[in-house]
Amino acid sequence: MTTNFQRQPGTADGTALIRLGGLVLDRGARRVLDGITLDLSERRIGLIGLNGSGKTTLARVICGLVSPDEGRVELNGIDPAKDRRGALQEVGLIFQNPDHQIIFPTVAEELAFGLRQQRHADPEGEAARVLAAFGRADWAERAVATLSQGQRHLVCLMSVFAMRPSLVLLDEPFAGLDRPTTAQLHRMIAGYEGTVIHITHQLEWLEDYDRIVWIDRGRVRADGAPAEVLTRYRAATESEEGFDAFADLPG
């Protein structure tokens, strides 16, 4: 299925332009981000690392949900933490647990909410069009509580796609799903025209991406093509090279 959503402009080829300069973030005595500097403009970017390495925190900083103690964030020329209205146009985040994201009782209400925040001229009508584009027009009045976990993940995906951000951030969106559901959601994400940054431990989903960034203890340990970075990551984790599997876990 092709949805063909037009998204917000970023670079000349339609991807988002993300500039991160010297990001530092402390939580108590623990340094979560330690001087991360990256320029990201590729269409598909994988973000990998052990649990607690700083991936989710970095995603929240890019979205503007968390402000760094030091450093700067620019997403298509705006600071998403300071320009919340601009951030609504530019970036959407899909959490690992859909129940942490869905707040309305019916599917149509959930889709219309983000559009309303964007001051869309016809949020209800656009929500209906998005549902139809995904072949789920019959879900409009369906209670979210009656949906399976995979179906709720799809609601989150449709809600974000409806807002047409230039950047979609995925934080382990396939965790706990069976492989057929995962594969279907992956195909839908692959068809999105904007930039996708995908945090996952399922490395096979990242092998055809444009770029992989490996975060280790709040720093960039490797950054480059999937063939190189994923190979290094697999080798390091399998040999436990330089890793303490529990050291990076939040206290």
Side-chain angles (χ1 to χ4, degrees), residues 32-91:
V32 183
L33 300 179
D34 191 6
I36 289 181
T37 296
L38 290 166
D39 280 358
L40 304 170
S41 59
E42 291 79 8
R43 185 169 177 266
R44 292 293 180 266
I45 301 164
L47 196 59
I48 62 173
L50 296 180
N51 288 333
S53 60
K55 306 183 303 297
T56 292
T57 300
L58 180 58
R60 289 176 177 270
V61 168
I62 293 172
C63 288
L65 299 178
V66 175
S67 294
D69 297 320
E70 300 176 22
R72 63 181 178 83
V73 178
E74 288 185 10
L75 171 56
N76 290 345
I78 69 164
D79 181 336
K82 295 178 180 178
D83 184 355
R84 295 308 302 154
R85 188 170 299 282
L88 280 172
Q89 303 294 330
E90 298 290 354
V91 60

Side-chain angles (χ1 to χ4, degrees), residues 5 94 107 111 130-136 139 151 153-163 188:
F5 288 120
I94 298 176
V107 173
L111 266 66
V130 171
L131 285 168
F134 277 88
R136 297 293 185 273
W139 283 16
Q151 289 170 331
H153 272 283
L154 179 54
V155 170
C156 293
L157 194 68
M158 290 189 294
S159 298
V160 169
F161 281 11
M163 297 171 71
M188 291 176 175

Side-chain angles (χ1 to χ4, degrees), residues 54-238:
K55 306 183 303 297
T56 292
T57 300
L58 180 58
R60 289 176 177 270
V61 168
I62 293 172
C63 288
L65 299 178
V66 175
S67 294
D69 297 320
E70 300 176 22
R72 63 181 178 83
V73 178
E74 288 185 10
L75 171 56
N76 290 345
I78 69 164
D79 181 336
K82 295 178 180 178
D83 184 355
R84 295 308 302 154
R85 188 170 299 282
L88 280 172
Q89 303 294 330
E90 298 290 354
V91 60
L93 175 62
I94 298 176
F95 297 99
Q96 177 176 334
N97 188 339
D99 296 332
H100 293 167
Q101 190 159 354
I102 295 172
I103 58 177
F104 284 90
T106 71
V107 173
E109 289 175 296
E110 184 65 28
L111 266 66
F113 173 70
L115 295 164
R116 197 171 290 112
Q117 295 299 302
Q118 288 184 321
R119 299 187 177 179
H120 192 283
D122 182 17
E124 289 77 16
E126 182 63 14
R129 284 189 286 273
V130 171
L131 285 168
F134 277 88
R136 297 293 185 273
D138 58 322
W139 283 16
E141 301 306 317
R142 189 164 175 181
V144 172
T146 67
L147 300 176
S148 69
Q149 185 183 18
Q151 289 170 331
R152 294 197 300 277
H153 272 283
L154 179 54
V155 170
C156 293
L157 194 68
M158 290 189 294
S159 298
V160 169
F161 281 11
M163 297 171 71
R164 297 170 168 79
S166 62
L167 169 64
V168 175
L169 273 152
L170 310 171
D171 189 359
E172 286 287 359
F174 304 144
L177 299 180
D178 59 41
R179 290 196 66 83
T181 302
T182 297
Q184 186 174 8
L185 290 170
H186 185 73
R187 286 193 295 270
M188 291 176 175
I189 291 165
Y192 191 67
E193 293 181 356
T195 295
V196 171
I197 295 180
H198 188 172
I199 300 171
T200 185
H201 294 292
Q202 295 173 288
L203 304 183
E204 65 271 21
W205 298 115
L206 306 178
E207 289 175 347
D208 62 350
Y209 275 35
D210 302 307
R211 181 174 177 180
I212 306 295
V213 179
W214 173 6
I215 304 296
D216 182 23
R217 305 184 190 193
R219 298 181 179 181
V220 176
R221 178 156 172 174
D223 174 15
E228 174 192 352
V229 179
L230 294 179
T231 299
R232 286 182 57 189
Y233 182 75
R234 287 186 175 106
T237 53
E238 288 170 4

